[in-house]
Amino acid sequence: MTTPSEPALTQTEPPQAPLRTESFRKARPEIVGPESPEAPFPIYMSGAVQKGFGRGGKDLGCPTANLPDEALESMASVTTTGIYYGYARVHPVVEESGKTGDCKGEDLETYPMVMSLGWNPFYKNQKMTAEVHIMRDFKSDFYGQKLSVVVLGYIRPELDYTSREALIQDIETDKRVALKSLERPAYKAYEKDCLGGEK
Ligand code: ADP
Ligand code: RBF
Ligand code: MG
């Protein structure tokens, strides 16, 4: 992994994303990071879920809740775009806000998540985004609802891909790596974090 000298958030152009070989991708570790979260983690982010291009669920079988631009500011201490892991929680609809999301009940608890912070080189996006896939089978969409996340560690850099299937395979590996990495007690402790909501 390279260490860019400039914080990821102040970069205005997509960096050249590496294209990795099959053997590199097969040799990925199943668990990442130290035994307990280390600086700059934990990083807290939150904001109302935004509409994107609608590709996550349809194209990749992996819906991602997109955070608003302001939410990215708390990731300013992070110098690397890429895939992160931690926990996330969807908050109830604020009635008077006129928002449309309708997640309720157990959908509003804290769950493991993987987050992609970057330019989605495979899709050649022109803007950096933070997108969160929550490891939970939700009963409904939650556009407009507030989403809070705690980022606890880094998994890998963003890559470019020669096929959609290869990207899908890596996303599956990311989910497995996140779940395994979160099993360690110092990470699991954050499962009890209500992330600004009620118990
Ligand atoms: P968009 O480009 O609009 O973000 P996606 O295809 O990525 O579209 O789907 C994201 C939406 O799907 C989220 O905003 C949320 O409302 C819904 N969703 C359903 N299940 C999940 C999940 N497990 N993780 C994240 N978002 C989910
Ligand atoms: N996009 C890329 O172009 N390269 C990646 O390496 C990449 N990794 C991802 C890993 C995870 C766990 C998730 C949830 C998304 C990833 N994406 C990646 C982003 C993907 O392109 C994006 O979610 C869709 O374009 C929908 O917005
Ligand atoms: Mg999305």
Side-chain angles (χ1 to χ4, degrees):
M1 199 176 84
T2 55
T3 320
S5 50
E6 213 187 331
L9 290 183
T10 59
Q11 293 164 18
T12 50
E13 299 245 322
Q16 184 67 43
L19 193 64
R20 294 283 158 86
T21 60
E22 194 81 344
S23 57
F24 170 90
R25 294 184 36 251
K26 284 218 172 90
R28 290 185 53 189
E30 285 287 315
I31 196 157
V32 291
E35 276 308 294
S36 36
E38 283 178 8
F41 308 112
I43 295 175
Y44 289 86
M45 302 168 82
S46 69
V49 174
Q50 311 286 302
K51 276 242 175 206
F53 298 109
R55 294 190 292 231
K58 272 197 218 91
D59 244 25
L60 301 173
C62 180
T64 56
N66 297 17
L67 284 166
D69 294 349
E70 315 82 76
L72 272 74
E73 283 162 23
S74 53
M75 286 294 276
S77 54
V78 158
T79 51
T80 340
T81 54
I83 317 309
Y84 292 82
Y85 67 96
Y87 288 99
R89 186 178 193 195
V90 179
H91 297 273
V93 178
V94 180
E95 292 297 344
E96 62 274 23
S97 70
K99 301 287 192 205
T100 55
D102 55 357
C103 258
K104 299 190 183 83
E106 285 182 6
D107 281 349
L108 305 179
E109 291 174 12
T110 300
Y111 294 101
M113 66 86 184
V114 276
M115 180 179 83
S116 157
L117 173 76
W119 303 81
N120 300 358
F122 181 67
Y123 288 100
K124 307 206 169 18
N125 283 9
Q126 291 308 309
K127 198 177 128 203
M128 188 175 339
T129 55
E131 305 174 27
V132 180
H133 173 72
I134 307 172
M135 285 180 257
R136 157 92 181 158
D137 195 2
F138 285 93
K139 306 279 176 296
S140 66
D141 283 351
F142 44 89
Y143 285 112
Q145 283 182 244
K146 181 178 162 192
L147 173 72
S148 301
V149 306
V150 56
V151 185
L152 298 173
Y154 176 76
I155 303 183
R156 65 170 175 94
E158 273 197 301
L159 302 175
D160 199 353
Y161 289 86
T162 49
S163 75
R164 200 171 56 102
E165 288 66 33
L167 172 54
I168 292 172
Q169 249 181 36
D170 265 5
I171 291 178
E172 283 308 309
T173 308
D174 295 330
K175 292 197 230 173
R176 221 171 44 238
V177 170
L179 287 174
K180 280 223 155 149
S181 301
L182 289 170
E183 269 169 25
R184 295 168 294 185
Y187 290 84
K188 203 167 170 50
Y190 286 88
E191 199 175 22
K192 301 272 169 292
D193 194 323
C194 291
L195 297 170
E198 286 173 31
K199 272 209 193 305

